[in-house]
């Protein structure tokens, strides 16, 4: 299968873009993945100039129909790395380290309603720690939602404990796990996955099977795509169709998150090839297409603000996205205990982002419900 040059910006002939836009305009009720064929969606991914602006306007109109139009939702959460968390419940914990319960308690005191934990359990830790960590975190604070373990980590936990994926997921859920991150989906195409990780990439089938199994035992998850590297527009469309097919079967995705490949995440063997980054044009077009394709199946489209410039975030919030994700609190006890440490979205910045988008910030839970009153983060008023 043909791959594109790293982050090459592929635009489409204007006549193909205008034809696809016309089909959407002519029947505004025809939403979702079947509103256009693959050729039509691929054309829209190549929109630029006036046609790109029209595409983003269409996507934002759909956002206003499927979510409350005047609000920008967010969740108050903290990231933890599985390896760090495991050390804090082991004999290897240093005397000056906080306990895992301390970190959870601090997060709750700061207003967090969610802990997000990702990363494999270190090979020298007992396999049972996958479940024990869930028990320790959820037992440290009432009403806290734990969003943890990617598909590969769940498969690893099942293999190391000698159980099936289903049984392992049931044990995690019984221990208190609420949902799983749909990260590491990358592009659900084995050619692309093999290129990105020739020695350690799980096949797309495994990711799909684990996520569907999680949905089957009563857990929900996010849906993701990592774009802007060697995948083609056709592979982006196929990936989105795969995710939406899962959603039709299980209804288990809570939101869709589009994440550009950034230099810090570029696989080491591809550093020399990764001479450019994804264009703002492609980012806007892909978010708009994702909103239009997912209409009626996944309501919420989240901006990956840690991986995008503030000007791009502003444009995406006017081009189909309704949610800005988590504040990613670091706390003071061990601020580097999780991925993306140092990338905290403070309240004043959140309010300013919402203001520029013409929206009111509204706190949500991981399930997109309203938090209990005593868990609401005080917010300054949006400027008039």
């Amino acid at each position: 299968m043909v791959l594109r040059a790293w982050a090459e910006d592929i635009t489409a002939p204007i006549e193909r873009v205008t034809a696809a836009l016309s089909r959407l305009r002519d029947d505004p009720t025809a939403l979702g993945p079947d509103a256009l064929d693959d050729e039509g969606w691929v054309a829209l991914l190549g929109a630029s100039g006036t046609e790109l602006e029209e595409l983003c306007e269409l996507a934002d109109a759909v956002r206003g129909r499927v979510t409350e139009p005047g609000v920008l939702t967010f969740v108050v959460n903290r990231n933890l790395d599985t390896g760090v968390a495991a050390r804090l419940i082991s004999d290897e914990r240093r005397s000056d380290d906080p306990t895992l319960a301390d970190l959870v308690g601090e997060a709750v005191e700061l207003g967090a309603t969610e802990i997000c934990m990702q990363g494999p359990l270190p090979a020298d830790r007992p396999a049972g720690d996958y479940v024990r960590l869930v028990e320790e975190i959820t037992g440290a604070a009432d009403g806290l939602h734990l969003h943890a373990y990617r598909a590969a980590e769940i498969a690893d936990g099942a293999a190391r404990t000698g159980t099936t994926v289903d049984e392992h997921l049931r044990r995690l859920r019984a221990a208190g796990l609420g949902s799983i991150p749909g990260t590491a989906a990358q592009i659900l195409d084995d050619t692309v996955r093999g290129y990105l990780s020739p020695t350690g990439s799980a096949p797309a089938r495994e990711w799909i099977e684990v996520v569907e199994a999680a949905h089957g035992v009563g857990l929900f998850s996010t849906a993701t795509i990592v774009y802007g590297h060697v995948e083609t527009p056709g592979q982006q469309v196929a990936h989105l169709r795969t995710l939406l097919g899962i959603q039709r079967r299980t209804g288990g995705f809570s939101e869709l998150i589009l994440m550009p490949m950034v230099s810090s995440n570029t696989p080491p063997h591809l550093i020399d090839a990764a001479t450019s980054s994804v264009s703002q044009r492609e980012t806007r077009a892909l978010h708009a297409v994702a909103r239009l394709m997912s209409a009626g199946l996944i309501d919420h489209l989240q901006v990956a603000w840690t991986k995008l410039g503030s000007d791009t975030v502003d444009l995406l919030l006017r081009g189909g996205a309704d949610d800005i994700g988590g504040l990613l609190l670091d706390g003071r006890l061990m601020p580097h205990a999780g991925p993306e440490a140092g990338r905290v979205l403070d309240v004043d910045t959140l309010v300013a982002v919402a203001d520029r988008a013409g929206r009111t910030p509204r706190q949500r839970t991981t399930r997109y419900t309203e938090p209990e009153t005593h868990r609401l983060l005080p917010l300054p008023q949006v400027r008039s």
Side-chain angles (χ1 to χ4, degrees), residues 70-88:
V71 303
L72 172 63
T73 50
F74 68 95
V75 66
V76 184
N77 63 352
R78 170 159 197 181
N79 278 345
L80 290 176
D81 178 82
T82 304
V84 173
R87 179 167 63 80
L88 295 180

PDB file of all heavy atoms in Angstrom, residues 70-88:
ATOM      1  N   GLY A  70     -23.923  26.644  22.985  1.00  0.00           N
ATOM      2  CA  GLY A  70     -23.282  27.775  23.651  1.00  0.00           C
ATOM      3  C   GLY A  70     -22.267  27.420  24.707  1.00  0.00           C
ATOM      4  O   GLY A  70     -21.797  28.307  25.429  1.00  0.00           O
ATOM      5  N   VAL A  71     -21.877  26.132  24.816  1.00  0.00           N
ATOM      6  CA  VAL A  71     -20.973  25.748  25.898  1.00  0.00           C
ATOM      7  C   VAL A  71     -19.714  25.074  25.353  1.00  0.00           C
ATOM      8  O   VAL A  71     -19.711  24.486  24.263  1.00  0.00           O
ATOM      9  CB  VAL A  71     -21.662  24.814  26.928  1.00  0.00           C
ATOM     10  CG1 VAL A  71     -22.900  25.467  27.501  1.00  0.00           C
ATOM     11  CG2 VAL A  71     -21.992  23.473  26.302  1.00  0.00           C
ATOM     12  N   LEU A  72     -18.662  25.172  26.140  1.00  0.00           N
ATOM     13  CA  LEU A  72     -17.409  24.461  25.893  1.00  0.00           C
ATOM     14  C   LEU A  72     -17.162  23.592  27.117  1.00  0.00           C
ATOM     15  O   LEU A  72     -16.944  24.106  28.220  1.00  0.00           O
ATOM     16  CB  LEU A  72     -16.251  25.438  25.702  1.00  0.00           C
ATOM     17  CG  LEU A  72     -14.848  24.816  25.620  1.00  0.00           C
ATOM     18  CD1 LEU A  72     -14.735  23.898  24.411  1.00  0.00           C
ATOM     19  CD2 LEU A  72     -13.782  25.903  25.585  1.00  0.00           C
ATOM     20  N   THR A  73     -17.237  22.280  26.937  1.00  0.00           N
ATOM     21  CA  THR A  73     -17.103  21.387  28.089  1.00  0.00           C
ATOM     22  C   THR A  73     -15.641  21.038  28.360  1.00  0.00           C
ATOM     23  O   THR A  73     -14.795  21.076  27.473  1.00  0.00           O
ATOM     24  CB  THR A  73     -17.915  20.101  27.873  1.00  0.00           C
ATOM     25  OG1 THR A  73     -17.609  19.534  26.598  1.00  0.00           O
ATOM     26  CG2 THR A  73     -19.412  20.385  27.968  1.00  0.00           C
ATOM     27  N   PHE A  74     -15.389  20.686  29.618  1.00  0.00           N
ATOM     28  CA  PHE A  74     -14.058  20.271  30.056  1.00  0.00           C
ATOM     29  C   PHE A  74     -14.210  19.375  31.275  1.00  0.00           C
ATOM     30  O   PHE A  74     -15.238  19.390  31.953  1.00  0.00           O
ATOM     31  CB  PHE A  74     -13.192  21.491  30.420  1.00  0.00           C
ATOM     32  CG  PHE A  74     -13.647  22.224  31.658  1.00  0.00           C
ATOM     33  CD1 PHE A  74     -13.083  21.944  32.898  1.00  0.00           C
ATOM     34  CD2 PHE A  74     -14.653  23.176  31.597  1.00  0.00           C
ATOM     35  CE1 PHE A  74     -13.503  22.604  34.049  1.00  0.00           C
ATOM     36  CE2 PHE A  74     -15.084  23.843  32.740  1.00  0.00           C
ATOM     37  CZ  PHE A  74     -14.513  23.560  33.971  1.00  0.00           C
ATOM     38  N   VAL A  75     -13.171  18.583  31.553  1.00  0.00           N
ATOM     39  CA  VAL A  75     -13.153  17.732  32.735  1.00  0.00           C
ATOM     40  C   VAL A  75     -11.938  18.106  33.569  1.00  0.00           C
ATOM     41  O   VAL A  75     -10.898  18.498  33.027  1.00  0.00           O
ATOM     42  CB  VAL A  75     -13.127  16.231  32.344  1.00  0.00           C
ATOM     43  CG1 VAL A  75     -11.834  15.862  31.645  1.00  0.00           C
ATOM     44  CG2 VAL A  75     -13.373  15.331  33.542  1.00  0.00           C
ATOM     45  N   VAL A  76     -12.064  18.008  34.886  1.00  0.00           N
ATOM     46  CA  VAL A  76     -10.933  18.279  35.777  1.00  0.00           C
ATOM     47  C   VAL A  76     -10.290  16.934  36.105  1.00  0.00           C
ATOM     48  O   VAL A  76     -10.914  16.081  36.741  1.00  0.00           O
ATOM     49  CB  VAL A  76     -11.387  19.004  37.059  1.00  0.00           C
ATOM     50  CG1 VAL A  76     -10.165  19.363  37.910  1.00  0.00           C
ATOM     51  CG2 VAL A  76     -12.176  20.265  36.711  1.00  0.00           C
ATOM     52  N   ASN A  77      -9.051  16.754  35.663  1.00  0.00           N
ATOM     53  CA  ASN A  77      -8.431  15.443  35.812  1.00  0.00           C
ATOM     54  C   ASN A  77      -6.942  15.568  36.089  1.00  0.00           C
ATOM     55  O   ASN A  77      -6.362  16.641  36.033  1.00  0.00           O
ATOM     56  CB  ASN A  77      -8.672  14.583  34.562  1.00  0.00           C
ATOM     57  CG  ASN A  77      -8.052  15.168  33.309  1.00  0.00           C
ATOM     58  OD1 ASN A  77      -7.550  16.288  33.301  1.00  0.00           O
ATOM     59  ND2 ASN A  77      -8.105  14.415  32.229  1.00  0.00           N
ATOM     60  N   ARG A  78      -6.354  14.422  36.396  1.00  0.00           N
ATOM     61  CA  ARG A  78      -4.910  14.323  36.591  1.00  0.00           C
ATOM     62  C   ARG A  78      -4.400  13.086  35.886  1.00  0.00           C
ATOM     63  O   ARG A  78      -5.048  12.036  35.911  1.00  0.00           O
ATOM     64  CB  ARG A  78      -4.564  14.236  38.075  1.00  0.00           C
ATOM     65  CG  ARG A  78      -3.085  13.880  38.249  1.00  0.00           C
ATOM     66  CD  ARG A  78      -2.462  14.209  39.521  1.00  0.00           C
ATOM     67  NE  ARG A  78      -0.998  14.174  39.347  1.00  0.00           N
ATOM     68  CZ  ARG A  78      -0.137  14.396  40.305  1.00  0.00           C
ATOM     69  NH1 ARG A  78      -0.573  14.680  41.516  1.00  0.00           N
ATOM     70  NH2 ARG A  78       1.154  14.360  40.072  1.00  0.00           N
ATOM     71  N   ASN A  79      -3.241  13.203  35.247  1.00  0.00           N
ATOM     72  CA  ASN A  79      -2.591  12.069  34.602  1.00  0.00           C
ATOM     73  C   ASN A  79      -1.625  11.382  35.559  1.00  0.00           C
ATOM     74  O   ASN A  79      -0.931  12.043  36.335  1.00  0.00           O
ATOM     75  CB  ASN A  79      -1.787  12.535  33.379  1.00  0.00           C
ATOM     76  CG  ASN A  79      -2.644  12.710  32.146  1.00  0.00           C
ATOM     77  OD1 ASN A  79      -3.779  12.245  32.089  1.00  0.00           O
ATOM     78  ND2 ASN A  79      -2.106  13.384  31.141  1.00  0.00           N
ATOM     79  N   LEU A  80      -1.576  10.059  35.469  1.00  0.00           N
ATOM     80  CA  LEU A  80      -0.579   9.273  36.185  1.00  0.00           C
ATOM     81  C   LEU A  80       0.028   8.257  35.214  1.00  0.00           C
ATOM     82  O   LEU A  80      -0.669   7.722  34.357  1.00  0.00           O
ATOM     83  CB  LEU A  80      -1.182   8.523  37.375  1.00  0.00           C
ATOM     84  CG  LEU A  80      -1.629   9.339  38.587  1.00  0.00           C
ATOM     85  CD1 LEU A  80      -2.279   8.425  39.618  1.00  0.00           C
ATOM     86  CD2 LEU A  80      -0.458  10.089  39.204  1.00  0.00           C
ATOM     87  N   ASP A  81       1.307   7.993  35.371  1.00  0.00           N
ATOM     88  CA  ASP A  81       1.970   6.936  34.630  1.00  0.00           C
ATOM     89  C   ASP A  81       1.868   5.639  35.429  1.00  0.00           C
ATOM     90  O   ASP A  81       2.122   5.624  36.631  1.00  0.00           O
ATOM     91  CB  ASP A  81       3.439   7.302  34.400  1.00  0.00           C
ATOM     92  CG  ASP A  81       4.186   6.199  33.679  1.00  0.00           C
ATOM     93  OD1 ASP A  81       4.086   6.142  32.446  1.00  0.00           O
ATOM     94  OD2 ASP A  81       4.848   5.396  34.356  1.00  0.00           O
ATOM     95  N   THR A  82       1.502   4.551  34.769  1.00  0.00           N
ATOM     96  CA  THR A  82       1.323   3.273  35.463  1.00  0.00           C
ATOM     97  C   THR A  82       2.587   2.848  36.199  1.00  0.00           C
ATOM     98  O   THR A  82       2.528   2.360  37.339  1.00  0.00           O
ATOM     99  CB  THR A  82       0.908   2.174  34.460  1.00  0.00           C
ATOM    100  OG1 THR A  82      -0.271   2.585  33.767  1.00  0.00           O
ATOM    101  CG2 THR A  82       0.646   0.861  35.171  1.00  0.00           C
ATOM    102  N   GLY A  83       3.740   3.031  35.562  1.00  0.00           N
ATOM    103  CA  GLY A  83       4.991   2.634  36.202  1.00  0.00           C
ATOM    104  C   GLY A  83       5.266   3.410  37.468  1.00  0.00           C
ATOM    105  O   GLY A  83       5.715   2.844  38.482  1.00  0.00           O
ATOM    106  N   VAL A  84       5.002   4.722  37.451  1.00  0.00           N
ATOM    107  CA  VAL A  84       5.192   5.547  38.648  1.00  0.00           C
ATOM    108  C   VAL A  84       4.227   5.104  39.740  1.00  0.00           C
ATOM    109  O   VAL A  84       4.609   4.942  40.906  1.00  0.00           O
ATOM    110  CB  VAL A  84       4.989   7.035  38.323  1.00  0.00           C
ATOM    111  CG1 VAL A  84       5.023   7.874  39.592  1.00  0.00           C
ATOM    112  CG2 VAL A  84       6.057   7.514  37.340  1.00  0.00           C
ATOM    113  N   ALA A  85       2.964   4.903  39.358  1.00  0.00           N
ATOM    114  CA  ALA A  85       1.962   4.480  40.341  1.00  0.00           C
ATOM    115  C   ALA A  85       2.336   3.143  40.966  1.00  0.00           C
ATOM    116  O   ALA A  85       2.189   2.942  42.178  1.00  0.00           O
ATOM    117  CB  ALA A  85       0.589   4.397  39.679  1.00  0.00           C
ATOM    118  N   ALA A  86       2.847   2.219  40.152  1.00  0.00           N
ATOM    119  CA  ALA A  86       3.231   0.907  40.673  1.00  0.00           C
ATOM    120  C   ALA A  86       4.378   1.025  41.673  1.00  0.00           C
ATOM    121  O   ALA A  86       4.408   0.313  42.687  1.00  0.00           O
ATOM    122  CB  ALA A  86       3.621  -0.016  39.525  1.00  0.00           C
ATOM    123  N   ARG A  87       5.325   1.905  41.400  1.00  0.00           N
ATOM    124  CA  ARG A  87       6.444   2.079  42.341  1.00  0.00           C
ATOM    125  C   ARG A  87       5.956   2.617  43.682  1.00  0.00           C
ATOM    126  O   ARG A  87       6.491   2.273  44.735  1.00  0.00           O
ATOM    127  CB  ARG A  87       7.486   3.022  41.741  1.00  0.00           C
ATOM    128  CG  ARG A  87       8.673   3.276  42.662  1.00  0.00           C
ATOM    129  CD  ARG A  87       9.816   3.948  41.931  1.00  0.00           C
ATOM    130  NE  ARG A  87       9.483   5.260  41.432  1.00  0.00           N
ATOM    131  CZ  ARG A  87       9.478   6.370  42.192  1.00  0.00           C
ATOM    132  NH1 ARG A  87       9.763   6.294  43.480  1.00  0.00           N
ATOM    133  NH2 ARG A  87       9.185   7.533  41.664  1.00  0.00           N
ATOM    134  N   LEU A  88       4.906   3.446  43.648  1.00  0.00           N
ATOM    135  CA  LEU A  88       4.424   4.064  44.884  1.00  0.00           C
ATOM    136  C   LEU A  88       3.653   3.094  45.778  1.00  0.00           C
ATOM    137  O   LEU A  88       3.349   3.427  46.926  1.00  0.00           O
ATOM    138  CB  LEU A  88       3.558   5.286  44.557  1.00  0.00           C
ATOM    139  CG  LEU A  88       4.301   6.445  43.877  1.00  0.00           C
ATOM    140  CD1 LEU A  88       3.339   7.596  43.596  1.00  0.00           C
ATOM    141  CD2 LEU A  88       5.477   6.923  44.721  1.00  0.00           C
TER     142      LEU A  88
END
